[in-house]
Amino acid sequence: MARIIVTGSDGQLGRSLREYREQGEVRYLNRRDLDIRDGASLRNILKEEKPQWLINCAAYTAVDAAETSRTLAFAINGEAVRTLAQICKETGTRLLHISTDYVFGGTGNLPHAETSVVHPEGIYAQSKRAGEVAVQDSGAGIVLRTSWLYSYFERNFFRTILRKCLAGESLRVVADQIGTPTWAGNLAQAIWHIVEGVTPRAGLYHYSDLGACSWYDFACYIRKLAGTNNCIEPIGSEEWKAAAPRPHFSLLDSRQSRRELNLGAVNWMEGVECCYRALLQYENGTYFEREYK
Ligand SMILES: NC(=O)c1ccc[n+]([C@@H]2O[C@H](COP(=O)([O-])OP(=O)(O)OC[C@H]3O[C@@H](n4cnc5c(N)ncnc54)[C@H](OP(=O)(O)O)[C@@H]3O)[C@@H](O)[C@H]2O)c1
């Protein structure tokens, strides 16, 4: 029987969790194994396995597409999470659910504490907020907010920028949104530390890498690691014309959470370096060669 169940395990966070704990005591369920909207199957799995924890990495994460897929975004990020939290409560499974810095929109330039007032702009952010409320209402476990997640797996800012730098492409990158890039490897290690440590109180926590930068700064740092000299032009959000609004300042103040959960953290640049080094070693280096050389 699995002590821990991970849902949405084929996403970048799910895959990062797996890098540190293989199948065994942990059972990884991707979308084909379990669609989190299927409450009956979830209930059966939890009754059979009786896990201590369920780590929910499943989410609708297409921020721009959500603007025209409201029903789907809320079904996965809101309603399914409500049912999942209720089933966890019923079966005595502790829930660790991931949320986002995007619940903080509007103006302001101070880091957001766990108690700060949220202002989710855009459908993705609002649907994720609905999930937070659902978990908190249930008392089933913890909501862990993180920010600007990236990894060496497919489809994320780090991989896209690196690929374009190595291809010598000129880039235009938004410079007026400030946040903290967080390597999914660091978040994964923090999550293992939480679920394998002293049981935390139910509630809301923050965890991200440390420091602040814009997407433009992030891209320039990736270019530095790649050792290329392609042009990266800083642009404003209005020039990028994304379908969904994004916060101009979404720094998470994670000091209280890190104290309470006894978690360390590193500066975002160190996170990017670790991710880059890990990418070089991924699949004994063949991955990098295949993709970029
Ligand atoms: N990415 C970021 O920048 C960021 C920042 C802050 C917080 N977060 C949060 O961090 C968590 C993990 O994000 P991530 O970056 O790892 O996302 P991701 O790579 O998009 O992974 C999400 C996973 O959820 C799966 N999924 C979608 N709908 C599902 C459903 N109905 N049932 C079961 N699985 C389903 C997806 O499967 P398919 O691939 O088959 O669709 C995918 O494998 C999410 O809660 C996200 O909101 C992300």
Side-chain angles (χ1 to χ4, degrees):
M1 282 193 300
R3 212 167 56 79
I4 298 167
I5 285 184
V6 176
T7 48
S9 65
D10 277 355
Q12 60 173 340
L13 180 57
R15 293 175 73 180
S16 301
L17 285 166
R18 199 171 187 146
E19 295 280 285
Y20 298 93
R21 300 287 184 283
E22 252 311 320
Q23 191 103 286
E25 287 216 324
V26 187
R27 184 167 170 204
Y28 292 92
L29 302 175
N30 63 22
R31 188 212 274 267
R32 283 180 305 285
D33 302 321
L34 175 74
D35 186 315
I36 61 162
R37 290 169 293 178
D38 180 357
S41 296
L42 176 67
R43 185 176 277 104
N44 287 339
I45 291 171
L46 295 191
K47 282 190 170 160
E48 198 178 301
E49 299 272 357
K50 297 187 177 51
Q52 287 171 10
W53 282 94
L54 186 150
I55 303 169
N56 181 36
C57 301
Y60 181 94
T61 55
V63 178
D64 290 320
E67 293 300 304
T68 48
S69 302
R70 185 180 197 284
T71 307
L72 184 61
F74 270 86
I76 297 171
N77 293 344
E79 290 137 34
V81 172
R82 181 165 290 278
T83 309
L84 185 142
Q86 281 161 354
I87 296 172
C88 283
K89 186 71 180 167
E90 250 172 67
T91 55
T93 308
R94 289 182 208 112
L95 172 62
L96 190 154
H97 175 70
I98 312 296
S99 195
T100 171
D101 59 320
Y102 278 18
V103 295
F104 296 112
T107 53
N109 55 8
L110 288 176
H112 303 284
E114 297 79 351
T115 48
S116 298
V117 176
V118 295
H119 188 83
E121 293 173 328
I123 304 298
Y124 167 75
Q126 289 163 7
S127 68
K128 289 297 291 181
R129 177 59 188 160
E132 291 187 348
V133 172
V135 175
Q136 289 187 283
D137 286 350
S138 73
I142 77 176
V143 172
L144 190 62
R145 284 187 189 135
T146 191
S147 63
W148 294 24
L149 212 54
Y150 65 90
S151 65
Y152 46 81
F153 302 114
E154 296 81 14
R155 283 188 306 161
N156 64 75
F157 185 86
F158 169 81
R159 286 287 307 263
T160 303
I161 298 295
L162 184 57
R163 189 181 68 244
K164 287 174 182 281
C165 284
L166 292 167
E169 287 182 33
S170 294
L171 301 172
R172 298 166 77 239
V173 182
V174 170
D176 61 358
Q177 293 169 22
I178 306 295
T180 311
T182 301
W183 179 36
N186 286 338
L187 177 61
Q189 293 179 73
I191 289 173
W192 288 127
H193 183 85
I194 294 169
V195 301
E196 290 169 354
V198 178
T199 307
R201 65 168 174 85
L204 204 149
Y205 298 85
H206 285 178
Y207 182 85
S208 67
D209 287 341
L210 303 177
C213 70
S214 66
W215 292 107
Y216 168 76
D217 299 327
F218 187 12
C220 289
Y221 200 70
I222 295 166
R223 176 181 61 183
K224 183 176 165 210
L225 292 178
T228 63
N229 60 1
N230 50 307
C231 169
I232 305 184
E233 182 193 345
I235 61 167
S237 302
E238 73 293 342
E239 282 181 79
W240 186 249
K241 295 191 178 71
R246 284 164 170 75
H248 281 283
F249 190 92
S250 62
L251 230 68
L252 297 176
D253 180 347
S254 60
R255 287 172 299 178
Q256 171 60 30
S257 293
R258 282 188 285 111
R259 259 196 306 275
E260 204 174 327
L261 298 169
N262 190 25
L263 293 172
V266 299
N267 186 275
W268 70 268
M269 286 180 264
E270 198 178 324
V272 183
E273 286 165 29
C274 288
C275 181
Y276 184 74
R277 276 200 302 274
L279 174 65
L280 295 179
Q281 287 168 5
Y282 190 48
E283 292 179 8
N284 298 323
T286 57
Y287 195 80
F288 189 80
E289 280 168 26
R290 195 173 64 234
E291 292 281 305
Y292 300 117
K293 297 291 173 189

